[in-house]
Amino acid sequence: MEIILQLFNGTIGIALLYFGAEWLVKGSASLAKKAGISSLVIGLTLVAFATSAPELVVSVNAALDGSPGISLGNVVGSNICNIALILGLSACITPLAVQKQLFKSDGIVMCASAILLAVFYLVNNSLERWHGIIFLFGIIVYTWYLIYSSRKENSQKTEEEETSEKSCSIIQSLVWVILGFTALIFGAKLLLWSSVYFARLMQISESVVGLTIVAVGTSLPELATSVVSAIKGEKDIAVGNVVGSNIFNILCILGITPVITPLKNAQITPVDMGSMIGISLLLLLFMRTGWKISRKEGVFMLLLYAAYTAWLIIDHA
């Protein structure tokens, strides 16, 4: 009976994370437009950050509950999943266009963040409060730069373009944001309880659960956003959403979480960190080849994700 209950908790938790992120995206994007921030930057910041909100809530809850493996594994696994699985699948649907700006600035920041995380963690097998402070400073500077650039670009818009944009009222937007955060909090709790239960039942390390089940579960908003964007022809959003989410995962989530409670002995291996860095650099290479991610490159990334998941299962069998 306990197993059935925990399966139910996990399923409801994932559903709440998915819908919570959707509501949060809807409300925050509307508020951002009213503040005069361009759609491109909304995709790179608010949409990307909002779809990463499940990772934030799960990682903070896991750290507070004494599960650093799930907390850190969730971020590392989500970054691998976002690129290899989500962008791989999206590129298989349709080749994804890449803006040069995305490659030159955001792509570089994403890879640099991944490398910095690996160095910080592998040196002392922990993330301390001062590591978190550095990451938080990084996300503040990055977000300020994007908003500053957006306002310069937005000032060149014509009055006709401004009036053509439709969004919810401020009250409606705030309601969606509140509903979204509420669903994320409860969804994260349910998914965390269910994941820890099955990890202990099957004698699987918490880090593996964080790298796989929790990572995929909390990446559902990114999956939905990128795949739907690819189908609808919004190819820039598909790539920008993933790049922005990966930056947010490291600089914000692993900025906030260690400041609250340091992450020690999370059992994340050099192979896991190396996989995150390798797939990030590979994405940067694919972005540069013809300024698009082709179907062949998408298939290759999917195969890489399958190989990494298989290694995790075999190595911890």
Side-chain angles (χ1 to χ4, degrees):
M1 188 64 188
E2 180 69 14
I3 293 177
I4 296 174
L5 177 61
Q6 292 299 337
L7 281 173
F8 177 76
N9 284 342
T11 303
I12 296 299
I14 289 174
L16 285 173
L17 288 176
Y18 175 83
F19 287 109
E22 285 290 302
W23 297 335
L24 189 57
V25 167
K26 182 175 181 178
S28 59
S30 177
L31 289 173
K33 284 184 178 181
K34 291 183 180 299
I37 301 174
S38 73
S39 297
L40 174 62
V41 174
I42 289 172
L44 272 170
T45 54
L46 281 172
V47 174
F49 291 3
T51 55
S52 286
E55 285 93 333
L56 173 60
V57 180
V58 168
S59 288
V60 171
N61 273 285
L64 290 173
D65 289 348
S67 300
I70 289 181
S71 185
L72 183 56
N74 173 39
V75 169
V76 174
S78 290
N79 279 22
I80 294 171
C81 177
N82 285 349
I83 296 173
L85 177 61
I86 294 174
L87 276 188
L89 184 58
S90 299
C92 286
I93 295 171
T94 180
L96 304 173
V98 176
Q99 289 192 17
K100 291 182 180 180
Q101 176 190 348
L102 193 66
F103 170 83
K104 292 179 179 178
S105 58
D106 307 288
I108 300 296
V109 172
M110 177 187 69
C111 292
S113 301
I115 293 171
L116 190 61
L117 169 60
V119 171
F120 280 171
Y121 179 75
L122 294 176
V123 167
N124 295 313
N125 197 33
S126 67
L127 283 181
E128 303 294 340
R129 285 189 171 88
W130 67 271
H131 294 140
I133 292 171
I134 291 175
F135 284 148
L136 283 176
F137 177 76
I139 196 64
I140 291 170
V141 171
Y142 171 73
T143 305
W144 174 85
Y145 168 75
L146 286 178
I147 293 175
Y148 173 76
S149 301
S150 168
R151 287 191 176 278
K152 284 183 64 178
E153 175 190 337
N154 210 46
S155 64
Q156 300 173 356
K157 280 183 152 186
T158 64
E159 185 176 338
E160 180 181 351
E161 287 176 318
E162 290 290 344
T163 56
S164 67
E165 293 179 353
K166 295 181 180 179
S167 59
C168 303
S169 69
I170 293 179
I171 298 297
Q172 289 174 318
S173 300
L174 288 173
V175 169
W176 284 120
V177 169
I178 293 170
L179 284 175
F181 270 119
T182 303
L184 286 173
I185 291 170
F186 283 103
K189 277 290 187 184
L190 289 173
L191 180 60
L192 180 61
W193 291 338
S194 178
S195 300
V196 171
Y197 172 81
F198 283 108
R200 290 171 180 168
L201 182 67
M202 302 171 66
Q203 297 183 330
I204 299 174
S205 71
E206 291 181 350
S207 60
V208 174
V209 174
L211 286 163
T212 53
I213 299 171
V214 177
V216 173
T218 55
S219 290
L220 286 177
E222 287 93 335
L223 177 60
T225 301
S226 292
V227 170
V228 170
S229 297
I231 292 173
K232 291 184 176 180
E234 299 286 352
K235 301 171 185 178
D236 289 334
I237 293 178
V239 183
N241 171 49
V242 164
V243 172
S245 293
N246 280 17
I247 293 171
F248 179 84
N249 284 349
I250 294 176
L251 296 184
C252 186
I253 295 175
L254 293 182
I256 293 173
T257 307
V259 168
I260 296 173
T261 176
L263 302 177
K264 300 179 183 293
N265 302 315
Q267 297 181 334
I268 301 299
T269 69
V271 173
D272 300 317
M273 289 293 186
S275 298
M276 178 184 62
I277 294 171
I279 197 68
S280 299
L281 292 172
L282 184 65
L283 174 59
L284 207 62
L285 176 63
F286 286 168
M287 289 168 69
R288 183 62 183 84
T289 55
W291 303 111
K292 69 176 183 179
I293 303 172
S294 67
R295 284 192 174 91
K296 289 182 180 179
E297 292 166 341
V299 170
F300 183 69
M301 288 193 289
L302 286 175
L303 291 174
L304 283 179
Y305 187 74
Y308 172 71
T309 304
W311 176 83
L312 278 177
I313 295 171
I314 294 170
D315 185 61
H316 293 81

